[in-house]
Amino acid sequence: MNTELIRADFPILSRTVYGKPLIYLDNAATTQKPLCVLDAMRNEYLNVNANVHRGVHWLSQQATELHEGARETVRRFINARSTTEIVFTRGTTEGLNLIASCFSEACMQKGDEVVISTVEHHSNIVPWQLQAARKGIVLRVIPMDDDGTLDLEAFRRMLSQKTKIVSISHVSNVLGTVNPVEDIIRIAHQYDIPVVVDGAQSAPHFKVDMQALDCDFFVFSGHKIYGPTGIGVLYGKEAWLDRLPPYQGGGEMIEHVSFEKSTFERPPLKFEAGTPDYIATTGLAKALDYVSSVGLDAIQKHEEDLTRYTISQLLQIDGMRVFGIPADADLTTLRHDAVISFQLRDIHPMDMGTLLDRLGIAIRTGHHCAQPLMDRLGVLGTSRASFALYNTHEEVDALVAGVKRVATMF
Ligand code: PLP
């Protein structure tokens, strides 16, 4: 993988901040966009812009072709069986809200349970809590050990007649740990319980294959995979999407409307009320093509190298704690996604982030929208560096030097 060539596709990476070269290590929050994505979106606005579906005129048909072509690109990218299973959303959060709302309406009664885990992002906690308040459903939480490993035995013991769905993140956005979703899906399916996978932090970093994974739902965000903001994907097995009620009502999702009664389109349109963000779907498809052209295996290897290197360098600093790593981990083979949370002595993450920022290094600090996980770790927040395909070993060296410099200030 030629990182130098790749970086040329992302003009923002060559800018400076405070007179220093930008080192962008906040990719778990959002990624930068390659020119091809921006060009595709600009081109559509300039040359093809028209509302999609149902238009008889040429522009509308062209725009519809791009929009539905994007759906096919997504299908191919995650190896879904059919484009019927690909619903466009505004992002992971909307996808999870849609599932929580529609699933609990159709399939859950008061007292029924949803199983989530300790490492979930707020987006996979709060939508279920809203349904808990509305319908009286109950949240059960898979515990984790101090290294961030989920307790599968506890998970197994949690399952009962009352368990109606499991919703779990593929990769923790704080710890970078890859959760055993294959095992969770296999165990849940033994009891005929469907599983939602939050792929916000997995789809950008390694191959996800819906048919191999066999999850029932999978969600991810465009902006975390080099695509535009405001667009995301909800994959759902066709049988489930057929069974769930619509999420919102309005144009696009209807088949026929009268004042007495309305009937709805089949999935995926049933879940896409209103004019879709068809410019963003074009941008997303371009981003996925870009990722595919670099190759997810190459991206995964590159990011794994960077992650292992960073962890080994950080751990050499006195008083450093890196979260989500077993004490006896072999760093040369550690399976860890491109997210590293750390804490240096008692230096507040806000101080760490602010001082690194002055060196041109963008990391994220705080609770990372995972406050229950912070409670479990016994911290208020962490400092988090996260990588994308364009990051380099030199940038890691700058980060480590920056952290060492901060250490001397306290
Ligand atoms: N789930 C995980 C694991 C995440 O990391 C994030 C964002 O950081 C989300 C959900 C929410 O994604 P979005 O804000 O794009 O909806």
Side-chain angles (χ1 to χ4, degrees), residues 8-11 32-49 66 226-228 278-287 290:
D9 295 332
F10 296 82
Q32 303 302 343
K33 320 303 170 200
L35 274 173
C36 62
V37 168
L38 308 179
D39 289 346
M41 295 171 73
R42 184 169 189 272
N43 176 57
E44 187 166 1
Y45 268 133
L46 284 176
N47 295 308
V48 197
N49 183 46
L66 280 173
Y226 315 104
Y278 52 85
I279 303 286
T281 57
T282 295
L284 173 63
K286 205 63 183 172
Y290 181 84

Side-chain angles (χ1 to χ4, degrees), residues 13-155:
L13 297 177
S14 46
R15 67 157 297 163
T16 56
V17 291
Y18 309 116
K20 312 248 173 11
L22 168 68
I23 297 180
Y24 185 76
L25 303 178
D26 193 18
N27 295 285
T30 200
T31 52
Q32 303 302 343
K33 320 303 170 200
L35 274 173
C36 62
V37 168
L38 308 179
D39 289 346
M41 295 171 73
R42 184 169 189 272
N43 176 57
E44 187 166 1
Y45 268 133
L46 284 176
N47 295 308
V48 197
N49 183 46
N51 206 333
V52 294
H53 300 142
R54 302 194 181 125
V56 292
H57 59 82
W58 188 87
L59 271 188
S60 176
Q61 290 186 17
Q62 293 293 307
T64 303
E65 235 170 71
L66 280 173
H67 182 62
E68 291 306 324
R71 206 185 298 278
E72 166 59 19
T73 303
V74 173
R75 185 207 64 75
R76 213 177 323 118
F77 189 79
I78 61 173
N79 195 28
R81 276 179 200 82
S82 150
T83 50
T84 310
E85 300 177 317
I86 307 296
V87 177
F88 287 122
T89 63
R90 285 194 301 122
T92 304
T93 303
E94 189 176 58
L96 290 168
N97 273 280
L98 188 159
I99 298 165
S101 171
C102 299
F103 188 89
S104 62
E105 185 178 333
C107 308
M108 295 180 90
Q109 307 292 331
K110 188 168 188 289
D112 282 346
E113 296 176 357
V114 50
V115 175
I116 59 172
S117 88
T118 310
V119 302
E120 298 312 314
H121 188 281
H122 294 165
S123 295
N124 194 27
I125 302 172
V126 184
W128 299 107
Q129 283 175 337
L130 292 177
Q131 298 311 318
R134 233 188 71 200
K135 283 207 77 168
I137 67 166
V138 177
L139 273 72
R140 303 289 306 274
V141 182
I142 309 173
M144 67 170 214
D145 70 14
D146 292 342
D147 305 330
T149 307
L150 298 185
D151 183 342
L152 282 184
E153 273 319 302
F155 168 62

Side-chain angles (χ1 to χ4, degrees), residues 28-29 90-94 96 121 123-124 169 171-173 198-201 221 223-224 368 384:
R90 285 194 301 122
T92 304
T93 303
E94 189 176 58
L96 290 168
H121 188 281
S123 295
N124 194 27
S169 54
V171 169
S172 160
N173 69 307
D198 171 354
Q201 300 294 345
S221 297
H223 70 99
K224 293 184 196 286
H368 315 296
R384 182 185 77 180

Side-chain angles (χ1 to χ4, degrees), residues 343-378:
Q343 171 69 36
L344 183 59
R345 303 199 309 262
D346 58 354
I347 300 172
H348 197 288
M350 274 292 277
D351 291 332
M352 178 63 76
T354 306
L355 291 165
L356 287 176
D357 177 52
R358 285 282 152 179
L359 302 172
I361 304 169
I363 64 159
R364 186 148 291 245
T365 60
H367 56 61
H368 315 296
C369 293
Q371 282 179 329
L373 175 55
M374 296 297 121
D375 292 343
R376 171 62 181 81
L377 295 171

Side-chain angles (χ1 to χ4, degrees), residues 119 144-150 171-179 307-308 311 314-315 320-331 333-343 373-374 376-379 382-384:
V119 302
M144 67 170 214
D145 70 14
D146 292 342
D147 305 330
T149 307
L150 298 185
V171 169
S172 160
N173 69 307
V174 174
L175 303 173
T177 41
V178 184
N179 292 323
T307 304
R308 289 171 184 159
I311 294 171
L314 286 176
L315 284 175
M320 175 61 73
R321 178 178 176 196
V322 177
F323 297 93
I325 312 279
D328 57 353
D330 177 356
L331 292 184
T333 55
L334 182 71
R335 173 96 169 91
H336 197 92
D337 208 49
V339 178
I340 301 167
S341 266
F342 61 93
Q343 171 69 36
L373 175 55
M374 296 297 121
R376 171 62 181 81
L377 295 171
V379 295
T382 72
S383 301
R384 182 185 77 180

